[in-house]
């Protein structure tokens, strides 16, 4: 069943869905090919995870986070948990923000990365309050990449060498392991409280 993705191997029979609640909802960043692949595989529309555009080739999807598994949030599952689809983005952001481990930033000369210790780095993109604070220490524009779900790289556009380092390290991380956790090499810029594609030319 495509709506239920186990973190560990399960038995041959599909497990019964546990009770789902709004407090379990979390954001998950995916590449657009994730949804495309499901559709091409013939997954019924009601089993396609609920999703929304983020920036460029990235989407925001949602999942119910359980102790030893997660369940991708489809429209029927959101309804079963009493969540209106229009409320899912806000609830997921609030839940992530309230349960997130401490975010640390390792930076030097305008370039660095964010770390959570829980493979949640890409999901940080949806936390608008976090980036508002980060921008206060940026001289130029805030640029970020998420080559993998556990890699969020960032730099200050005012440092030309930092932009080059961002691009180079992004490619390095994306090429290290080609698996389902790869996301995107695109460079995004924070403008007017949202992410957009960065074009330095």
């Amino acid at each position: 069943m495509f709506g239920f993705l186990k973190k560990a191997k399960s038995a041959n029979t599909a497990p019964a869905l546990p009770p789902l609640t709004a407090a379990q909802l979390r954001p998950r960043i995916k590449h657009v090919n994730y949804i495309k692949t499901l559709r091409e595989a013939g997954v019924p529309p009601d089993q396609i995870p609920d999703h929304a555009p983020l920036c460029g080739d990235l989407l925001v999807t949602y999942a119910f986070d359980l102790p030893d598994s997660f369940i991708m949030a489809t429209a029927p599952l959101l309804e079963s948990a009493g969540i209106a689809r229009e409320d899912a983005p806000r609830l997921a952001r609030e839940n992530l923000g309230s349960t997130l481990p401490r975010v640390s930033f390792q930076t030097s000369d305008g370039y660095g990365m964010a770390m959570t210790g829980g493979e949640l780095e890409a999901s940080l993109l949806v936390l608008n309050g976090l980036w508002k604070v980060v921008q206060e220490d940026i001289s130029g524009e805030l640029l970020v990449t998420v080559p993998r779900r556990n890699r969020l790289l960032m730099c200050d556009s005012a440092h030309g060498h930092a932009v080059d380092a961002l691009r180079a390290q992004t490619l390095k991380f994306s090429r290290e392991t080609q698996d389902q956790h790869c996301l995107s090499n695109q460079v995004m810029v924070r403008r007017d409280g949202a992410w957009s594609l960065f074009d330095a030319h």
Side-chain angles (χ1 to χ4, degrees), residues 77-157:
L77 291 182
L78 289 173
E79 182 178 0
S80 73
I83 302 172
R85 293 181 71 182
E86 60 268 24
D87 292 335
R90 175 185 57 80
L91 283 171
R93 284 196 306 269
E94 291 176 354
N95 291 339
L96 176 64
S98 65
T99 60
L100 189 70
R102 181 178 177 85
V103 181
S104 60
F105 295 93
Q106 189 177 72
T107 61
S108 177
D109 296 326
Y111 165 78
M113 63 178 64
M115 294 170 288
T116 68
E119 297 194 340
L120 299 170
E121 283 75 10
S123 296
L124 296 177
L125 291 174
V126 305
L127 298 182
N128 297 326
L130 172 68
W131 300 111
K132 184 177 180 180
V133 172
V134 171
Q135 280 185 296
E136 294 175 357
D137 294 326
I138 299 294
S139 301
E141 291 188 301
L142 173 62
L143 308 182
V144 305
T145 64
V146 284
R148 301 181 58 79
R149 72 176 184 180
N150 63 343
R151 293 285 187 268
L152 190 152
L153 311 181
M154 49 191 288
C155 79
D156 185 339
S157 68

Side-chain angles (χ1 to χ4, degrees), residues 38-57:
L38 293 179
R39 286 175 173 157
E40 290 177 346
V43 176
D46 67 348
Q47 290 189 30
I48 296 292
D50 205 54
H51 58 280
L54 176 63
C55 176
D57 56 16

Side-chain angles (χ1 to χ4, degrees), residues 27-79:
R28 289 183 178 270
I29 308 303
K30 298 286 188 181
H31 191 276
V32 293
N33 285 344
Y34 172 69
I35 299 297
K36 179 181 177 183
T37 299
L38 293 179
R39 286 175 173 157
E40 290 177 346
V43 176
D46 67 348
Q47 290 189 30
I48 296 292
D50 205 54
H51 58 280
L54 176 63
C55 176
D57 56 16
L58 293 177
L59 301 170
V60 182
T61 63
Y62 309 97
F64 294 95
D65 200 22
L66 306 177
D68 62 352
S69 65
F70 65 88
I71 301 173
M72 295 304 295
T74 61
L77 291 182
L78 289 173
E79 182 178 0

